[in-house]
Amino acid sequence: KEVIRLTDIVKNYKVGTQVVRALRSVSLQINQGEYVAIMGASGSGKSTLMNVIGCLDTPTSGRYELNDKDVSHLSDDELAEIRNSEIGFIFQTFNLLPRNSALENVMLPLVYAGIKKQERLERAEKMLSDVGLADRVEHKPNELSGGQRQRVAVARALINQPAILLADEPTGNLDSKTSEEIMHLFSEIHKQGNTLIVVTHEEDIAHHAHRIIRLKDGQIETDVINPNPVY
Ligand code: ADP
Ligand code: ADP
């Protein structure tokens, strides 16, 4: 089943009198259960594409369908609703609430989704246990190592069972050993049937994905199946 369909996506930024063509007619489809890496040099359009796919920004022109729904021309409120229900975000900087425990951070999306407290607790505890943090639920982010913080962020991203998991340089702040642990966790999440999109400039990270899309100057340069994904 197709989860994402981008057709002729163009994104221009106006800077003074200049127009920056960040995406020039990008078309691609991603099916449920795919594990895709988006690569490219700095300035090639990765963040812009990630922002469009993540419904953080709308394209200048072109069509974006997410789960068969046209999301190309929605209002900011409608986009926020799609983000909360359909997309799990993972960032380089973790973006956890510093004053809240791991458990509270993971429960938060369920609060917005209107899930009752007891179920929130049970689901968040289960999810933290699944990412290997059963003994860290009461820890606040600054009481956790970098890898543990990213695991909390992964649990938070997955708790609503989103249609896609979108990770932007997820290992950018981690040492190489911890990075490998997080990529191993991603592989496990992929095996469970989740759809993963990882934006990265690191070849070692991209090689865990099963499909690698390379951007150049706002266009898709190559889009290939990875014959030997790591793990
Ligand atoms: P990448 O993530 O691959 O480094 P970006 O998507 O951030 O690439 O940028 C693509 C192009 O769009 C670059 O030329 C960049 O300078 C430009 N760009 C990105 N964001 C903005 C913005 N908010 N305003 C103007 N230009 C931007
Ligand atoms: P790493 O060397 O991997 O960064 P740390 O030495 O920071 O790990 O942490 C080791 C363990 O101690 C971790 O499991 C973390 O949960 C715990 N820990 C780290 N800092 C604190 C803290 N301020 N309060 C409570 N537990 C902490």
Side-chain angles (χ1 to χ4, degrees), residues 180-192:
E180 277 304 307
E181 287 168 11
I182 291 296
M183 296 320 290
H184 187 64
L185 177 61
F186 277 24
S187 292
E188 293 297 320
I189 290 166
H190 172 237
K191 277 184 204 149
Q192 288 160 13

Side-chain angles (χ1 to χ4, degrees), residues 6-10 23-28 49 63 215 218-220:
L6 301 177
T7 311
D8 298 332
I9 294 289
V10 170
L23 295 176
R24 318 169 179 235
S25 195
V26 169
S27 299
L28 69 93
L49 181 59
R63 186 175 168 91
L215 293 181
Q219 286 180 311
I220 294 177

Side-chain angles (χ1 to χ4, degrees), residues 3-6 28-31 33-39 46 49-54 64 66 86-91 163-170 183 186 189-190 194-200 205 209-211 213:
V3 180
I4 287 174
R5 175 183 286 255
L6 301 177
L28 69 93
Q29 289 114 43
I30 296 175
N31 288 333
E34 277 200 87
Y35 183 0
V36 181
I38 297 177
M39 298 205 71
K46 299 187 298 296
L49 181 59
M50 152 108 187
N51 288 344
V52 170
I53 292 175
Y64 175 19
L66 177 61
E86 306 276 11
I87 299 162
F89 290 97
I90 296 165
F91 302 98
I164 56 173
L165 209 62
L166 207 48
D168 190 7
E169 303 283 0
M183 296 320 290
F186 277 24
I189 290 166
H190 172 237
N194 292 287
T195 310
L196 262 77
I197 303 172
V198 177
V199 178
T200 182
I205 297 304
H210 292 227
R211 173 179 169 194
I213 296 173

Side-chain angles (χ1 to χ4, degrees), residues 96-102 104-105 138-143:
L96 301 171
L97 297 175
R99 294 173 191 282
N100 293 90
S101 68
E104 288 164 344
N105 269 282
E138 296 300 336
H139 282 57
K140 298 205 169 86
N142 69 0
E143 298 164 342

